[in-house]
Amino acid sequence: MDVTALIDAVSRTKSQADELTRRQIIDQLSGALAKFTTSPENQRFAEKYRPRGNYTRLLLNSPQDAYQLVLVFWGPGKGSPIHDHDETIGVVGALTGETKEIKYAVTRHEGERVKLARSSEFTIAPGRVTPILPGDDQQLHLMVNEEQHWAATVHVYLTSIHHYRQYEAAPGGAFQLAETPLWFDEWEVGRRMPTSTRS
Ligand SMILES: [Fe+2]
């Protein structure tokens, strides 16, 4: 599946979302992302790409779209803080490498702060997709590339994210929410990706 077909699949799911259950939405997005991320042509594009920084975020589709497909490059040892996804439904997969995901659940609200508990761990690798669902218990995670080589992950957000929250460790084991704008190093990078791969 090439990038155009993936964008079409996400757009189709977005337009049908009102009639679908969350499970059906995740299944549709996961199926399309698994095909996209196991395509050798797409994997080669990620392997050959030379990111500018050791944490580089590329928007594959147009910033005008109501959804986002994001290609993220992680240098060796590079990770994200714990963060949410502004209540969107989404899926995350990988074109190269093995990136560890740790999901967290909010166990208590304390004013501006929350208590968190680790809920699960997953290795994101080509063909393996992890869901993001709205709610305090399912949309929080961190990701880290603990390997010696680069990783490239692909993130599909069914509703475009403009701001999200990072969860910063505060005294007493709580976490302080920090509102953060979502930024990209480049936009519409899908135009430079291989087309007409077999779907
Ligand atoms: Fe994330």
Side-chain angles (χ1 to χ4, degrees):
M1 178 180 277
D2 69 15
V3 68
T4 310
L6 178 64
I7 293 171
D8 286 349
V10 173
S11 173
R12 214 163 33 244
T13 301
K14 173 93 180 166
S15 63
Q16 299 166 347
D18 286 349
E19 288 103 58
L20 299 173
T21 64
R22 282 185 179 181
R23 187 70 260 165
Q24 288 171 322
I25 292 172
I26 290 293
D27 285 349
Q28 287 190 9
L29 296 178
S30 297
L33 188 59
K35 282 187 191 167
F36 176 80
T37 51
T38 49
S39 148
E41 290 88 348
N42 295 333
Q43 292 174 349
R44 259 196 305 279
F45 175 85
E47 279 156 16
K48 284 189 189 153
Y49 197 89
R50 292 284 165 262
R52 283 186 207 153
N54 63 2
Y55 178 68
T56 295
R57 307 178 57 91
L58 310 177
L59 184 66
L60 297 180
N61 58 313
S62 162
Q64 263 84 53
D65 292 337
Y67 48 84
Q68 292 165 327
L69 287 77
V70 188
L71 175 58
V72 182
F73 287 93
W74 308 79
K78 195 69 191 167
S80 76
I82 301 170
H83 59 274
D84 70 17
H85 300 86
D86 204 27
E87 299 290 320
T88 186
I89 293 185
V91 288
V92 184
L95 284 168
T96 65
E98 290 191 357
T99 309
K100 187 198 280 185
E101 179 204 35
I102 302 173
K103 288 191 193 288
Y104 290 83
V106 175
T107 55
R108 201 152 53 133
H109 292 266
E110 297 175 346
E112 297 265 289
R113 295 178 177 178
V114 293
K115 285 272 173 70
L116 301 178
R118 260 168 105 118
S119 54
S120 62
E121 198 175 305
F122 186 79
T123 300
I124 307 170
R128 289 169 57 81
V129 176
T130 184
I132 293 166
L133 288 162
D136 273 356
D137 54 339
Q138 303 201 66
Q139 62 157 349
L140 269 54
H141 70 180
L142 70 73
M143 290 174 55
V144 59
N145 175 17
E146 293 178 332
E147 305 299 316
Q148 301 296 312
H149 43 83
W150 281 78
T153 52
V154 182
H155 308 235
V156 175
Y157 304 131
L158 200 60
T159 300
S160 290
I161 298 175
H162 299 289
H163 286 85
Y164 66 105
R165 280 143 297 276
Q166 295 186 352
Y167 290 66
E168 297 168 350
F175 288 82
Q176 177 83 37
L177 279 59
E179 186 88 6
T180 311
L182 186 67
W183 51 270
F184 298 108
D185 294 284
E186 290 181 64
W187 300 262
E188 299 185 335
V189 172
R191 291 182 176 182
R192 308 211 304 264
M193 290 196 71
T195 53
S196 303
T197 56
R198 269 173 296 145
S199 58

